mmCIF file of all heavy atoms in Angstrom:
data_model
loop_
_atom_site.group_PDB
_atom_site.id
_atom_site.type_symbol
_atom_site.label_atom_id
_atom_site.label_comp_id
_atom_site.label_asym_id
_atom_site.label_seq_id
_atom_site.Cartn_x
_atom_site.Cartn_y
_atom_site.Cartn_z
ATOM 1 N N GLU A 128 113.583 74.692 87.156
ATOM 2 C CA GLU A 128 113.450 74.000 88.411
ATOM 3 C C GLU A 128 114.258 74.583 89.581
ATOM 4 O O GLU A 128 114.913 73.833 90.385
ATOM 5 C CB GLU A 128 113.897 72.490 88.265
ATOM 6 C CG GLU A 128 112.849 71.739 87.370
ATOM 7 C CD GLU A 128 113.065 70.211 87.419
ATOM 8 O OE1 GLU A 128 113.293 69.746 88.469
ATOM 9 O OE2 GLU A 128 113.090 69.627 86.312
ATOM 10 N N ARG A 177 109.243 86.800 90.288
ATOM 11 C CA ARG A 177 110.531 86.436 90.793
ATOM 12 C C ARG A 177 111.204 85.279 89.881
ATOM 13 O O ARG A 177 112.378 84.924 90.227
ATOM 14 C CB ARG A 177 110.608 86.095 92.248
ATOM 15 C CG ARG A 177 110.243 87.264 93.074
ATOM 16 C CD ARG A 177 110.281 86.977 94.541
ATOM 17 N NE ARG A 177 109.604 88.219 95.144
ATOM 18 C CZ ARG A 177 109.236 88.198 96.487
ATOM 19 N NH1 ARG A 177 109.321 87.149 97.159
ATOM 20 N NH2 ARG A 177 108.699 89.328 96.880
ATOM 21 N N VAL A 182 108.411 82.445 83.600
ATOM 22 C CA VAL A 182 107.238 81.574 83.544
ATOM 23 C C VAL A 182 106.055 82.221 84.146
ATOM 24 O O VAL A 182 106.132 82.713 85.214
ATOM 25 C CB VAL A 182 107.526 80.180 84.430
ATOM 26 C CG1 VAL A 182 106.319 79.411 84.356
ATOM 27 C CG2 VAL A 182 108.771 79.374 83.794
ATOM 28 N N GLY A 194 90.351 74.103 82.870
ATOM 29 C CA GLY A 194 90.183 72.646 82.589
ATOM 30 C C GLY A 194 89.350 71.850 83.674
ATOM 31 O O GLY A 194 88.539 71.048 83.319
ATOM 32 N N ILE A 242 86.294 103.981 107.662
ATOM 33 C CA ILE A 242 85.869 102.765 108.347
ATOM 34 C C ILE A 242 87.115 101.915 108.576
ATOM 35 O O ILE A 242 87.354 101.377 109.689
ATOM 36 C CB ILE A 242 84.762 102.004 107.646
ATOM 37 C CG1 ILE A 242 83.437 102.765 107.615
ATOM 38 C CG2 ILE A 242 84.552 100.563 108.179
ATOM 39 C CD1 ILE A 242 82.801 102.748 109.022
ATOM 40 N N GLY A 267 105.770 108.138 95.276
ATOM 41 C CA GLY A 267 104.542 108.598 94.598
ATOM 42 C C GLY A 267 103.345 107.884 95.181
ATOM 43 O O GLY A 267 103.050 107.842 96.309
ATOM 44 N N SER A 287 92.525 104.378 99.380
ATOM 45 C CA SER A 287 92.700 103.203 98.463
ATOM 46 C C SER A 287 93.798 103.537 97.459
ATOM 47 O O SER A 287 93.961 104.623 97.118
ATOM 48 C CB SER A 287 91.363 103.049 97.801
ATOM 49 O OG SER A 287 90.224 102.805 98.624
ATOM 50 N N GLY A 321 93.726 83.350 99.953
ATOM 51 C CA GLY A 321 94.978 82.762 100.347
ATOM 52 C C GLY A 321 95.228 82.684 101.884
ATOM 53 O O GLY A 321 95.655 81.615 102.396
ATOM 54 N N ILE A 325 95.676 79.366 104.388
ATOM 55 C CA ILE A 325 96.799 79.258 105.367
ATOM 56 C C ILE A 325 96.207 78.949 106.718
ATOM 57 O O ILE A 325 96.579 78.005 107.353
ATOM 58 C CB ILE A 325 97.712 80.550 105.369
ATOM 59 C CG1 ILE A 325 98.574 80.714 104.175
ATOM 60 C CG2 ILE A 325 98.541 80.591 106.674
ATOM 61 C CD1 ILE A 325 99.196 82.034 103.922
ATOM 62 N N ARG A 327 93.547 77.493 107.379
ATOM 63 C CA ARG A 327 92.863 76.236 107.380
ATOM 64 C C ARG A 327 93.869 75.195 108.041
ATOM 65 O O ARG A 327 93.427 74.179 108.683
ATOM 66 C CB ARG A 327 92.547 75.884 105.936
ATOM 67 C CG ARG A 327 91.716 74.619 105.783
ATOM 68 C CD ARG A 327 91.521 74.475 104.306
ATOM 69 N NE ARG A 327 92.774 74.184 103.617
ATOM 70 C CZ ARG A 327 93.017 73.265 102.787
ATOM 71 N NH1 ARG A 327 92.046 72.475 102.508
ATOM 72 N NH2 ARG A 327 94.144 73.040 102.232
ATOM 73 N N GLU A 333 95.958 84.369 115.942
ATOM 74 C CA GLU A 333 94.586 85.033 115.992
ATOM 75 C C GLU A 333 94.554 86.183 114.918
ATOM 76 O O GLU A 333 95.332 87.083 114.954
ATOM 77 C CB GLU A 333 94.565 85.791 117.382
ATOM 78 C CG GLU A 333 93.173 86.239 117.852
ATOM 79 C CD GLU A 333 92.244 85.115 118.157
ATOM 80 O OE1 GLU A 333 92.618 83.856 118.339
ATOM 81 O OE2 GLU A 333 91.037 85.414 118.271
ATOM 82 N N TYR A 335 92.500 88.878 112.330
ATOM 83 C CA TYR A 335 91.253 89.679 111.947
ATOM 84 C C TYR A 335 91.388 90.045 110.453
ATOM 85 O O TYR A 335 92.242 90.781 110.111
ATOM 86 C CB TYR A 335 91.082 90.804 112.822
ATOM 87 C CG TYR A 335 90.792 90.526 114.228
ATOM 88 C CD1 TYR A 335 91.672 90.057 115.058
ATOM 89 C CD2 TYR A 335 89.325 90.645 114.622
ATOM 90 C CE1 TYR A 335 91.313 89.831 116.485
ATOM 91 C CE2 TYR A 335 89.022 90.239 115.861
ATOM 92 C CZ TYR A 335 89.967 89.903 116.854
ATOM 93 O OH TYR A 335 89.585 89.463 118.092
ATOM 94 N N PHE A 342 86.977 95.253 92.172
ATOM 95 C CA PHE A 342 86.523 94.793 90.849
ATOM 96 C C PHE A 342 87.822 94.452 90.008
ATOM 97 O O PHE A 342 87.880 93.434 89.348
ATOM 98 C CB PHE A 342 85.637 95.808 90.175
ATOM 99 C CG PHE A 342 84.960 95.263 88.978
ATOM 100 C CD1 PHE A 342 83.793 94.610 89.214
ATOM 101 C CD2 PHE A 342 85.518 95.461 87.734
ATOM 102 C CE1 PHE A 342 83.079 94.058 88.012
ATOM 103 C CE2 PHE A 342 84.893 94.889 86.572
ATOM 104 C CZ PHE A 342 83.712 94.159 86.711
ATOM 105 N N LYS A 367 94.903 111.726 96.406
ATOM 106 C CA LYS A 367 93.892 110.555 96.602
ATOM 107 C C LYS A 367 93.530 110.114 95.170
ATOM 108 O O LYS A 367 93.407 110.911 94.293
ATOM 109 C CB LYS A 367 92.718 111.154 97.368
ATOM 110 C CG LYS A 367 91.568 110.246 97.609
ATOM 111 C CD LYS A 367 90.485 111.066 98.413
ATOM 112 C CE LYS A 367 89.172 110.193 98.183
ATOM 113 N NZ LYS A 367 87.914 110.943 98.725
ATOM 114 N N LYS A 372 81.376 104.710 90.319
ATOM 115 C CA LYS A 372 80.373 104.728 89.126
ATOM 116 C C LYS A 372 81.041 104.662 87.861
ATOM 117 O O LYS A 372 80.798 105.574 86.964
ATOM 118 C CB LYS A 372 79.433 105.852 89.383
ATOM 119 C CG LYS A 372 78.598 105.863 90.723
ATOM 120 C CD LYS A 372 77.492 106.819 90.666
ATOM 121 C CE LYS A 372 76.770 106.742 92.003
ATOM 122 N NZ LYS A 372 76.766 105.854 92.997
ATOM 123 N N ALA A 385 89.057 113.157 85.967
ATOM 124 C CA ALA A 385 88.461 111.883 85.827
ATOM 125 C C ALA A 385 88.406 111.300 84.408
ATOM 126 O O ALA A 385 88.374 112.025 83.509
ATOM 127 C CB ALA A 385 87.022 111.892 86.497
ATOM 128 N N LEU A 391 91.375 102.572 81.147
ATOM 129 C CA LEU A 391 92.667 102.191 81.710
ATOM 130 C C LEU A 391 92.898 100.631 81.604
ATOM 131 O O LEU A 391 93.831 100.194 82.284
ATOM 132 C CB LEU A 391 92.637 102.567 83.213
ATOM 133 C CG LEU A 391 92.342 104.068 83.532
ATOM 134 C CD1 LEU A 391 92.160 104.204 85.020
ATOM 135 C CD2 LEU A 391 93.402 104.868 82.941
ATOM 136 N N ALA A 407 85.008 90.261 98.696
ATOM 137 C CA ALA A 407 85.851 89.621 99.706
ATOM 138 C C ALA A 407 85.066 88.651 100.594
ATOM 139 O O ALA A 407 84.886 88.941 101.839
ATOM 140 C CB ALA A 407 86.506 90.631 100.558
ATOM 141 N N GLU A 454 72.771 97.055 94.283
ATOM 142 C CA GLU A 454 74.018 97.611 93.638
ATOM 143 C C GLU A 454 75.103 96.740 93.861
ATOM 144 O O GLU A 454 75.970 96.525 92.862
ATOM 145 C CB GLU A 454 74.152 99.018 94.022
ATOM 146 C CG GLU A 454 75.067 99.904 93.168
ATOM 147 C CD GLU A 454 75.438 101.180 93.781
ATOM 148 O OE1 GLU A 454 74.753 101.708 94.693
ATOM 149 O OE2 GLU A 454 76.463 101.851 93.332
ATOM 150 N N ILE A 455 75.263 96.309 94.961
ATOM 151 C CA ILE A 455 76.484 95.520 95.421
ATOM 152 C C ILE A 455 76.343 94.051 94.602
ATOM 153 O O ILE A 455 77.225 93.531 93.956
ATOM 154 C CB ILE A 455 76.528 95.157 96.841
ATOM 155 C CG1 ILE A 455 76.468 96.410 97.677
ATOM 156 C CG2 ILE A 455 77.744 94.312 97.224
ATOM 157 C CD1 ILE A 455 76.217 96.266 99.205
ATOM 158 N N VAL A 476 91.804 71.965 78.944
ATOM 159 C CA VAL A 476 93.211 71.523 78.832
ATOM 160 C C VAL A 476 93.251 70.047 79.117
ATOM 161 O O VAL A 476 92.348 69.578 79.643
ATOM 162 C CB VAL A 476 94.102 72.351 79.760
ATOM 163 C CG1 VAL A 476 94.274 73.761 79.295
ATOM 164 C CG2 VAL A 476 93.708 72.251 81.172
#
Side-chain angles (χ1 to χ4, degrees):
E128 293 189 43
R177 297 184 187 160
V182 175
I242 291 286
S287 301
I325 290 171
R327 192 182 62 130
E333 191 73 12
Y335 287 80
F342 194 84
K367 176 181 159 184
K372 299 192 184 340
L391 307 173
E454 197 186 341
I455 305 165
V476 295

